[in-house]
Amino acid sequence: MEYKIETNSPEETREFAKKMAESAKPSDVITLIGDLGVGKTVFTQGIAEGLGIKDTVNSPTFTIVQVYDEGRMPFYHFDVYRIGDIEEMDEIGYEDYFYGDGLTMIEWANLIEEILPEKRTEVTIEKNPEKGFDYRLIKVKTID
Ligand code: ADP
Ligand code: MG
C-alpha cells in the first residue's frame, strides 16, 4: 500500500507523523529517506510526540541510536548518516531493536538497505522548489 500527503509547514509534518505513531505497534519499523534538511528529524519528533514522549528528540550526533522509554512503547531512534561500515550495526546489536518490543525509526535507512527488515513502512520526504520553501511531499509505503 502506498499513499502521499503534502505539507506546507514543519507543524503539519509533525502532526501527520504524530497520527502515524498513534497506530504504531511494538516491533514496527519506519524508515525515513530524504536529503539533508528535508524534515526527517521533524517527522521523528512527531512520531515521538505521538508515542507520548516529552523529551526533546534531535538527531543523535555521536551515537547511532537513541532510546526513549517514557512513551506508550519504547522508541528507538536511529540516524545512520555517519555509519562507516555495516558492522557497526552488528556491534550495537541492531536486531534487538528492529525485532524488539518498541517502535524503530531509521533516518537515512537507504544506507543500511541490506539489513532492513522486510516488513517495514518506508517514508520518503521530498522538496519541490516550484511549490515553495516549506512544501514537502511525503510518501508512505508499507512493505511486507
Ligand atoms: P533532516 O533531519 O531531514 O536533515 P530536519 O528535520 O532536521 O531535516 O530539518 C528540516 C528543516 O526544514 C527544519 O528547519 C524545518 O523547520 C524545515 N521545514 C520547512 N517546511 C517543512 C515541512 N513542511 N516539513 C518539515 N520540515 C520543514
Ligand atoms: Mg536529521
Side-chain angles (χ1 to χ4, degrees), residues 41-111:
T41 298
V42 167
F43 192 94
T44 304
Q45 287 164 346
I47 293 284
E49 205 185 317
L51 292 178
I53 295 162
K54 298 205 166 57
D55 264 7
T56 315
V57 173
N58 290 308
S59 276
T61 313
F62 301 107
T63 50
I64 292 173
V65 61
Q66 195 80 50
V67 178
Y68 300 89
D69 275 320
E70 50 168 320
R72 127 181 120 73
M73 68 177 88
F75 181 48
Y76 309 127
H77 177 206
F78 286 76
D79 187 323
V80 298
Y81 184 61
R82 284 179 185 78
I83 201 159
D85 194 285
I86 202 79
E87 274 178 23
E88 286 176 48
M89 291 298 289
D90 289 326
E91 280 158 26
I92 61 168
Y94 75 90
E95 286 178 312
D96 294 343
Y97 300 105
F98 289 13
Y99 304 99
D101 54 0
L103 174 64
T104 296
M105 177 98 207
I106 315 164
E107 295 192 46
W108 294 100
N110 49 305
L111 299 178

Side-chain angles (χ1 to χ4, degrees), residues 6-14 32 34-45 59 79 107-108 125 127 133-138:
E6 296 170 304
T7 68
N8 286 288
S9 69
E11 291 73 28
E12 263 184 74
T13 297
R14 206 172 288 130
L32 265 178
D35 294 339
L36 201 64
V38 82
K40 297 182 296 302
T41 298
V42 167
F43 192 94
T44 304
Q45 287 164 346
S59 276
D79 187 323
E107 295 192 46
W108 294 100
I125 313 178
K127 293 186 186 182
F133 194 68
D134 290 343
Y135 171 90
R136 301 293 189 271
L137 174 64
I138 305 175

Side-chain angles (χ1 to χ4, degrees), residues 3-38:
Y3 63 97
K4 298 172 183 177
I5 69 133
E6 296 170 304
T7 68
N8 286 288
S9 69
E11 291 73 28
E12 263 184 74
T13 297
R14 206 172 288 130
E15 203 52 42
F16 172 71
K18 189 177 162 184
K19 294 230 169 64
M20 237 178 101
E22 280 159 11
S23 55
K25 298 179 301 302
S27 85
D28 278 357
V29 173
I30 301 174
T31 62
L32 265 178
I33 296 165
D35 294 339
L36 201 64
V38 82

